Each structure stands twice: as C-alpha cells, then as structure tokens.
Amino acid sequence: MAPRLEINLDAIRHNATGLVARLGKRGIRVIGVTKALMAWPQLARVLIESGVSGLGDSRVENLERLRRNRFTVPLMMIRSPMLSQANAAVNACDVTLNTELSVLSALSAAATRNERPHAVVLMVELGDLREGIAIDEVVDAARCVTRMPGLVLAGIGTNLGCQSGVVPDQHKMDELSGLADDVESACGLRLESVSGGNSGSLGWALSTTDVGRVDELRLGEAILLGLDPLTRLPINGLRQDGFQLIAEVIEMKTKPTRPWGAIAQTAFGPVATVKDEVEAGETRRRAILALGRQDIDPDGLTAPAGVIIRGASSDHLVIEVGDHELIVGDELSFGLNYGALLRAATSPFVTKVATSA
Ligand SMILES: *Cc1c(COP(=O)(O)O)cnc(C)c1O
C-alpha cells in the first residue's frame, strides 16, 4: 500500500530506552511526546515499555485517543488547552501546560464539576517568545493556581528552541531552577516537576554538571529521529533510521529539461529558480510519484542517491531519476526531516506500517 510511512519500532525503542537511562542517571524523567505521529498507539506502547514517566501530546483529540487505550502512565497536554476545550482537556488528560489565568479558571471549574483533580504546569517565558508567563509574574500566577479549587500546581516548565531557536543553556536552566525555589517558598509547597524543555534541552542535560531543579524533559524528535533539533546532527548512540516514506511511480517519461510557453505562477506561487544549469534542448528521465504537499513537505524529503526532487504540487511529486531503472508501479523510498515526518504522519492518505530490525 502506497504511500506508506514505515516506522521502525526497534529504532524508536533503542532511542527511548537509551535516553530514559542516560537522563535517569541525572535525575531527569522523560515525557514521551507522541504528537508527530498523532498519538499512534504502537508508538505510545513502545515509549511506555521504554520507561517514560508519561506521554505528552499537543492536541486534545490525540490525548483522547491515548485515553481510550487505557495506558497506565499520566497523560500531559503540552499546549495550553483552548478556553473552549477546558472540559475536554480535563477529561482527556491528567496535566496541562498553562500560561493564561482565564484558561486556568475554566480548567478549575471543569475539574470541580467532573470531580477530577487536574494538575497544572505553569510555563515560563525565557526568551524563545512562544508560550510562557513573564518571569516576574510567575510567582503571582502560581499563588492564583493554589487558590483554584480542583487544580493542583504540579510544576513549572519552559520551552525553548522552537519559535526563535533560543538555546536552553546553563543560564536559562538556572533561571528556571531559581524560579522553582521562589514559587515553592512563596506558596509553601513542593513542586513535583520542573520541566526543562524539549529535545533541544538534551545537549545541556547530558553534558551539564548541574541539572539544578530540572527533573523532567518532554522528548519527541530526539526519540523519533535521533537528532538534536538545535543542530539537526545525530545524537551520540541514537539511531537515525526510524522512518522511511515509500511512494509509487505513476508516470515515467523522458521530457525536456525546460518548460515551454508563456510562464506565470505555479499552483503554489512564483516559479522556483532552477537549481542547476540545464542546456536548452536536453532531456531527462522524469518520474511522477503519487505523493504531494498534502502528504509531505517536499523540502524535507531526502531522495535516494542520484534522484533529484524537481517539485511538488498537491498530489504530484516530480523527480528526475538519474540512472535508476524505474517503471510505473515501482516504489521509491525517502528519508524525512521533522517537518516532512509530521506532515506524512498526519496525512490521512499515508498508511503507517510498523517495521523492526
Ligand atoms: C513539541 C513539543 C515538545 C517536544 O518537542 P521535540 O523537539 O519534538 O522534542 C515538548 N514540549 C512542547 C511544549 C512542545 O510543543
């Protein structure tokens, strides 16, 4: 069946168990993040078997999917719930990341109404300019949460490296640890977790001599792709062969290298500049694969050696095949970066297939 995403569960298990062990030695637990695969239950199962302390996802629908599978670990929503989703969030998961008092009030009301205590982690803005409460407002927000019925202030956290590429370094992590102390003395309680970020925090966590108060990371990309998102370089000891995307050839022809006729915009905007020099009058062997922007980000695919991706519209991926002997009906496999993986794994047209080895 094509297109299909082949997911090597052994590679993912290797990465997850390795990271759980290495971080465990430093007193840091791992929340396994499932959002890139839309909370695919087979991924969740492998993560739990690998020793994660909880599962995290950004969407209520995905968390509901995890809930239906009755996994034993706590479920964390790693994006602020929408105000309109407070009730669904309280039912779908055990803990949410939060930054807005209006949402917290709604969660408090929902938790009380459903008689289902809900844990809250307050996210702190440390400079990446995505989600987070300003540093000097965190203690007040924490005090507010402790007064809200139905809610338990479980921790504070941060997320760096996503919006602006800000590096989670010792200084940022020390700031977070200091805030944890401040919140505890102001509120007279002990925080269960200080959540030090995503896969981008691994470089720091695995090399620092002082993790401070940080005792949790929320990991997706490092487990799935074995890459450090700050550099996109392989992480020592992890596997990078977890995923392959397989697509099928639907046209195979020799065509001129240059289009002809008057040229206007393409389906997706102005014509991309031609990447290499081609002589007018030359021809190339071109294939079309039944795959498109609905299913992948063409810039995030790695083609087999000798194959050049020439472009993609909604449903057609156009390649030059070089010396590859391909005929209609043949399959070709591609590597994926995080963006392409996210899109492939969330396209209803791409089948997920578990593999091993
Ligand atoms: C997506 C996300 C993560 C996981 O990020 P990776 O880089 O895939 O490890 C963690 N925390 C938050 C808040 C996220 O949105």
Side-chain angles (χ1 to χ4, degrees):
M1 196 187 296
R4 67 180 179 276
L5 184 64
E6 291 188 351
I7 305 172
N8 186 331
L9 293 177
D10 286 347
I12 293 172
R13 188 187 308 276
H14 171 87
N15 292 351
T17 48
L19 288 170
V20 165
R22 283 153 79 178
L23 290 167
K25 280 188 206 135
R26 295 169 167 257
I28 297 177
R29 304 178 300 270
V30 174
I31 301 286
V33 173
T34 56
K35 68 187 181 201
L37 297 192
M38 268 173 79
W40 194 46
Q42 299 197 60
L43 168 67
R45 211 162 293 127
V46 165
L47 293 174
I48 291 171
E49 287 164 8
S50 304
V52 299
S53 67
L55 295 173
D57 205 289
S58 46
R59 312 259 173 163
V60 164
E61 294 81 353
N62 291 349
L63 291 158
E64 286 170 346
R65 189 177 187 191
L66 294 172
R67 198 53 117 201
R68 283 196 294 277
N69 280 275
R70 302 184 182 285
F71 294 120
T72 48
V73 298
L75 302 182
M76 171 188 272
M77 180 160 175
I78 60 172
R79 182 175 73 179
S80 170
M82 291 183 238
L83 192 54
S84 57
Q85 276 184 328
N87 202 62
V90 161
N91 286 314
C93 64
D94 305 289
V95 51
T96 50
L97 305 186
N98 288 277
T99 63
E100 290 288 348
L101 287 176
S102 57
V103 174
L104 287 158
S105 295
L107 291 171
S108 165
T112 310
R113 204 166 46 239
N114 295 301
E115 294 177 28
R116 194 184 228 300
H118 186 74
V120 162
V121 172
L122 293 179
M123 294 297 275
V124 184
E125 175 60 77
L126 289 181
D128 199 51
L129 298 181
R130 207 179 71 177
E131 75 272 42
I133 301 168
I135 292 173
D136 56 6
E137 292 170 11
V138 171
V139 168
D140 280 347
R143 273 203 203 94
C144 283
V145 171
T146 59
R147 289 189 212 111
M148 291 182 173
L151 298 189
V152 177
L153 180 62
I156 62 169
T158 194
N159 194 69
L160 294 163
C162 274
Q163 172 73 18
S164 313
V166 170
V167 176
D169 55 15
Q170 191 67 45
H171 174 68
K172 299 287 184 196
M173 294 296 118
D174 286 347
E175 259 185 308
L176 188 66
S177 289
L179 268 169
D181 294 338
D182 294 348
V183 166
E184 287 182 349
S185 46
C187 301
L189 50 74
R190 174 86 191 159
L191 295 175
E192 248 172 62
S193 67
V194 178
S195 198
N198 54 50
S199 295
S201 295
L202 273 172
W204 165 80
L206 294 174
S207 64
T208 183
T209 52
D210 179 14
V211 299
R213 293 291 311 274
V214 173
D215 57 11
E216 177 185 288
L217 293 182
R218 311 174 303 271
L219 303 181
E221 181 170 355
I223 291 174
L224 298 175
L225 296 178
L227 300 176
D228 179 346
L230 299 183
T231 57
R232 293 276 143 59
L233 294 172
I235 297 172
N236 235 338
L238 299 194
R239 290 176 62 168
Q240 287 76 41
D241 59 348
F243 296 87
Q244 282 197 91
L245 184 67
I246 318 290
E248 184 175 327
V249 176
I250 54 172
E251 181 185 299
M252 179 67 234
K253 299 195 185 301
T254 299
K255 296 196 182 187
T257 48
R258 291 187 178 174
W260 62 94
I263 303 290
Q265 288 202 5
T266 73
F268 289 88
V271 181
T273 43
V274 178
K275 286 182 195 123
D276 58 355
E277 287 299 313
V278 285
E279 295 291 327
E282 266 191 63
T283 60
R284 297 275 166 87
R285 295 171 60 242
R286 272 162 93 104
I288 297 175
L289 296 161
L291 189 72
R293 288 179 190 266
Q294 283 214 352
D295 318 297
I296 41 92
D297 169 6
D299 299 327
L301 291 183
T302 309
V307 169
I308 301 169
I309 296 173
R310 281 300 175 201
S313 49
S314 318
D315 310 293
H316 296 77
L317 185 75
V318 177
I319 60 174
E320 285 179 8
V321 303
D323 298 332
H324 290 258
E325 292 299 336
L326 284 176
I327 59 171
V328 168
D330 279 354
E331 293 183 340
L332 208 59
S333 86
F334 294 82
L336 311 99
N337 71 7
Y338 186 74
L341 172 63
L342 183 69
R343 195 129 23 126
T346 53
S347 167
F349 304 101
V350 178
T351 312
K352 297 183 184 73
V353 179
T355 66
S356 57

